[in-house]
């Protein structure tokens, strides 16, 4: 389908983007002044070279978080250069550093980075007006279409990673899809299954029928009965960090708690005005009380770990189970071949929720017309079924596909069973369930989320240290978040 829109929409207001960069803490660097896009030259275009070779000789810069798909693409950019004649330089940073760098670049009026890893919460929501509405490029008859169209991307991921507020425009294409699932030592669950079932009075096999209360009892059983095989029943990414918000949110949502009213819609499409925070509800407080109790029996080092820390502890044989991002499967299968199982997270009294952490790739609104076309070629190639399949096979990294068609390929379906040449596909049955609209966990996609997130994990850390009760913590977070939202955001 071709959309009727301006081919190259106007750039965002320089003043608007500058405000966004200042909010990201970049005011000092911006003091040197802004440089006009008009003072630089566009890349050359050879009109008769064909859609894929028309910008040969150009150089693109991609800025990305240091993620598995980017590691795979960085190791295999030659096929893109051979196809297009375009060189790609990739800069990878920790997410908070990336956000600040992107804010500065958008404020500069230039496009040092033409292609941007647009985290939905820290880049897309606050800086949406600084990104290109990709419909304009999909509609350009001189540029290649997306293979399979937008509809080939998993719908909930297309909304969460690609859109903001309005369901029509899209500013990024789904690029990676890390999702939190239940990872467990399959060998230990098989060894102790009958004994656990007898002691606990239920089938302990991990899956969507298990509850968080049962998860707690399984973890405590391992603590008390399996010291010869494993030190702790569960571990968590509960450091004072973004990881703590992710880990807690799975429990919050399953207990019926929500950050804001209409939480699913605020997570899926996003909004600039989410209204009052709802973490002071009885359901949210009950979720916090359970999470605090769960952490009391978890590996004590959990309070020092982010996702990498808990992942390393699990691979080292220290934990019987943990919630973590599904893309850790590749390293799990190297360290513990054949001994790890994967399932959706437990359900709570109200629902089940599996935190989605996926991100899209977009194009800077500061790009010039031909530069923008070259960036579109890269987006089409990087998210194509062929490239996603190559990422799955890559020894350098590689996430899991964001396209329905890739999951339908016979070789990808076969890789869901051991022995698997694509170990991340061993999680496919779990993530397919986790990506269902009623199961996926979507944090609020609001421009001020980064500041809200910091308030959330800071107060949760106080709760886990015993400085505040769960009820006090939820009320403190609500108060802080309401103040942040009331200040608003212009970008």
């Amino acid at each position: 389908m071709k959309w009727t829109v301006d081919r190259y929409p106007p750039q965002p207001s320089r003043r608007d983007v500058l405000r966004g960069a200042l909010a990201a803490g970049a005011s000092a660097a911006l003091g040197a002044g802004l440089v006009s896009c008009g003072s630089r030259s566009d890349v050359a275009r050879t009109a008769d070279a064909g859609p894929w070779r028309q910008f040969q000789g150009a150089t693109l810069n991609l800025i990305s978080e240091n993620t598995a798909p980017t590691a795979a693409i960085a190791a295999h950019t030659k096929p893109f250069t051979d196809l297009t004649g375009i060189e790609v330089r990739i800069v990878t940073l920790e997410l908070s550093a990336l956000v600040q760098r992107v804010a500065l670049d958008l404020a500069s009026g230039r496009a040092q980075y033409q292609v941007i890893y647009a985290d939905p919460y820290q880049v897309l929501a606050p800086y949406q007006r600084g990104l290109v509405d990709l419909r304009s490029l999909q509609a350009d008859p001189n540029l290649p279409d997306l293979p399979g169209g937008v509809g080939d991307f998993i719908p909930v991921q297309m909304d969460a990673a690609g859109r903001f507020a309005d369901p029509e425009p899209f500013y990024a294409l789904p690029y990676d899809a890390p999702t939190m699932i239940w990872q467990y030592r399959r060998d230990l669950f098989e060894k102790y299954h009958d004994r656990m079932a007898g002691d606990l009075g239920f089938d302990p096999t991990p899956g969507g029928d298990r509850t968080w209360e049962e998860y707690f009892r399984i973890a405590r059983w391992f603590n008390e009965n399996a010291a010869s095989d494993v030190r702790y029943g569960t571990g968590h990414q509960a450091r004072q960090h973004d990881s703590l918000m992710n880990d807690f949110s799975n429990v919050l949502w399953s207990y019926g708690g929500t950050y804001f009213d209409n939480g699913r819609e605020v997570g899926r499409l996003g909004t600039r005005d989410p209204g009052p925070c709802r973490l002071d509800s009885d359901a949210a407080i009950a979720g916090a009380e359970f999470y605090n109790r769960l952490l009391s029996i978890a590996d004590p080092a959990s309070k020092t770990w982010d996702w990498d820390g808990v992942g390393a502890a699990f691979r080292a044989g220290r934990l019987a189970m943990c919630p973590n991002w599904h893309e850790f499967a590749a390293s799990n299968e190297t360290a513990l071949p054949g001994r790890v199982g994967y399932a959706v997270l437990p359900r709570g009294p109200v629902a089940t929720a599996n935190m989605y952490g996926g991100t899209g790739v977009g194009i800077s609104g500061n790009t010039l017309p031909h530069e923008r076309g070259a960036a579109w070629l890269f987006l089409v190639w990087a998210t194509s079924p062929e490239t996603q399949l190559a990422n799955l096979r890559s020894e350098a990294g590689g996430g899991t596909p964001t396209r329905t068609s890739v999951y339908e390929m016979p070789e990808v379906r076969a890789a869901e069973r051991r022995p698997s040449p694509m170990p991340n596909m061993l999680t496919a049955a779990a993530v397919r369930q986790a990506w269902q609209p009623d199961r996926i966990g979507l944090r609020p996609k609001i421009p001020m989320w980064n500041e809200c997130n910091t308030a959330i994990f800071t107060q949760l850390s106080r709760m886990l240290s015993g400085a505040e009760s769960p009820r006090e913590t939820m009320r403190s977070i609500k108060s802080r978040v309401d103040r942040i939202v009331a200040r608003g955001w212009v970008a």
Side-chain angles (χ1 to χ4, degrees):
M1 178 178 184
K2 295 291 185 181
W3 299 88
T4 304
V5 293
D6 292 338
R7 181 166 297 174
Y8 299 112
Q11 294 178 4
S13 156
R14 190 73 54 80
R15 182 177 180 184
D16 284 347
V17 178
L18 178 57
R19 285 175 179 168
L22 289 170
S27 57
L30 288 167
L34 301 173
V35 180
S36 169
C37 287
S39 65
R40 62 191 178 92
S41 299
D42 200 353
V43 303
R45 176 174 181 258
T46 306
D48 60 357
W52 286 100
R53 300 291 297 185
Q54 59 187 306
F55 305 112
Q56 57 190 311
T59 298
L60 293 174
N61 295 320
L62 161 66
I63 186 168
S64 173
E65 188 181 4
N66 46 354
T67 65
T70 297
I73 281 180
H76 300 96
T77 57
K78 187 176 183 298
F80 176 73
T81 300
D82 290 345
L83 175 66
T84 64
I86 299 169
E87 295 291 333
V88 181
R89 298 171 181 165
I90 299 176
V91 173
T92 60
L93 298 170
E94 187 272 332
L95 182 58
S96 61
L98 175 145
V99 171
Q100 189 174 49
R101 189 83 63 90
V102 167
L104 286 168
D105 200 47
L106 293 177
S108 74
R110 304 175 67 91
Q112 179 181 356
Y113 306 106
Q114 295 85 11
V115 183
I116 295 171
Y117 179 88
D119 178 88
Y121 314 98
Q122 299 191 45
V123 174
L124 175 57
Y127 304 117
Q128 165 258 316
R129 293 190 177 112
L131 301 173
V132 173
D133 178 351
L134 298 179
R135 293 179 301 172
S136 60
L137 300 170
Q138 173 72 342
D140 190 331
N142 296 312
L143 296 173
D145 284 335
L146 284 168
V150 172
D152 189 35
F153 291 102
I154 295 167
V156 70
Q157 295 181 21
M158 187 67 218
D159 285 347
R163 297 186 166 97
F164 181 67
D166 187 330
E168 297 299 329
F170 59 98
Y171 304 95
L173 298 177
Y175 178 68
D176 62 6
T179 303
M180 291 189 75
I181 59 172
W182 187 348
Q183 304 183 22
Y184 63 94
R185 285 287 301 277
R186 188 174 66 154
D187 55 337
L188 298 184
F189 272 80
E190 290 174 353
K191 176 179 179 178
Y192 291 110
H193 176 275
D194 292 347
R195 186 175 159 195
M196 272 199 289
D199 290 350
L200 297 173
F202 60 85
D203 182 353
T205 304
D209 292 334
R210 298 280 67 78
T211 67
W212 276 112
E213 190 63 43
E214 289 170 343
Y215 183 99
F216 176 93
R217 294 177 61 195
I218 292 168
R220 186 171 59 187
W221 190 95
F222 272 109
N223 287 353
E224 297 171 352
N225 296 281
S228 61
D229 285 314
V230 68
R231 292 182 64 182
Y232 296 97
T234 187
H236 295 263
Q237 45 188 269
R239 172 185 159 197
Q240 186 175 320
H241 178 270
D242 177 59
S243 58
L244 174 53
M245 178 279 302
N246 286 295
D247 198 59
F248 165 72
S249 294
N250 296 311
V251 173
L252 170 74
W253 293 321
S254 73
Y255 271 71
T258 185
Y259 288 103
F260 299 99
D261 289 335
N262 303 313
R264 289 192 183 277
E265 193 68 9
V266 172
R268 186 177 68 90
L269 284 178
T271 181
R272 291 186 175 85
D273 181 14
C277 178
R278 298 303 187 193
L279 287 181
D280 60 340
S281 70
D282 290 344
I285 292 168
E289 288 171 344
F290 173 81
Y291 187 75
N292 195 45
R293 186 160 58 92
L294 177 61
L295 267 291
S296 73
I297 66 160
D299 188 322
S302 295
K303 296 172 190 177
T304 70
W305 290 337
D306 59 11
W307 39 78
D308 288 327
V310 74
F314 182 75
R315 293 192 301 275
R318 183 177 173 119
L319 309 172
M321 57 186 184
C322 64
N324 208 353
W325 303 105
H326 81 278
E327 291 177 348
F328 276 81
S331 50
N332 290 346
E333 297 301 317
T334 298
L336 298 165
R339 290 187 282 167
V340 180
Y342 306 97
V344 291
L345 288 173
R347 58 184 173 84
V350 174
T352 185
N354 300 260
M355 172 66 83
Y356 166 79
T359 292
V361 280
I363 298 174
S364 170
N366 290 333
T367 47
L368 297 172
H370 297 163
E371 191 176 43
R372 189 171 297 186
W376 172 255
L377 297 187
F378 181 78
L379 260 63
V380 172
W381 175 82
T383 64
S384 69
E386 293 75 17
T387 299
Q388 292 197 355
L389 179 61
N391 286 353
L392 270 176
R393 294 170 172 157
S394 174
E395 295 181 2
T400 47
T402 59
R403 287 178 169 273
T404 301
S405 61
V406 180
Y407 288 93
E408 294 171 350
M409 295 177 179
E411 62 192 294
V412 175
R413 284 194 173 276
E416 295 181 22
R417 300 181 298 277
R418 292 183 173 91
S420 176
M422 308 171 189
N424 278 339
M425 288 308 300
L426 296 173
T427 68
V431 295
R432 268 196 293 266
Q433 293 180 59
W435 292 334
Q436 294 301 311
D438 62 341
R439 287 179 178 263
I440 195 166
L442 298 170
R443 74 199 81 175
K445 191 162 57 172
I446 57 175
M448 62 290 291
W449 174 250
N450 193 29
E451 193 175 355
C452 293
N453 185 25
T454 300
I456 292 162
F457 65 66
T458 299
Q459 294 303 125
L460 286 172
S461 187
R462 285 179 54 79
M463 177 185 79
L464 296 179
S465 73
E468 287 185 345
S469 71
R471 182 177 297 274
E472 291 168 335
T473 296
M474 293 296 98
R475 288 176 172 172
S476 295
I477 296 174
K478 175 196 164 45
S479 177
R480 291 184 63 179
V481 167
D482 281 344
R483 290 197 299 272
I484 293 164
V485 170
R487 290 202 302 269
W489 175 278
V490 178

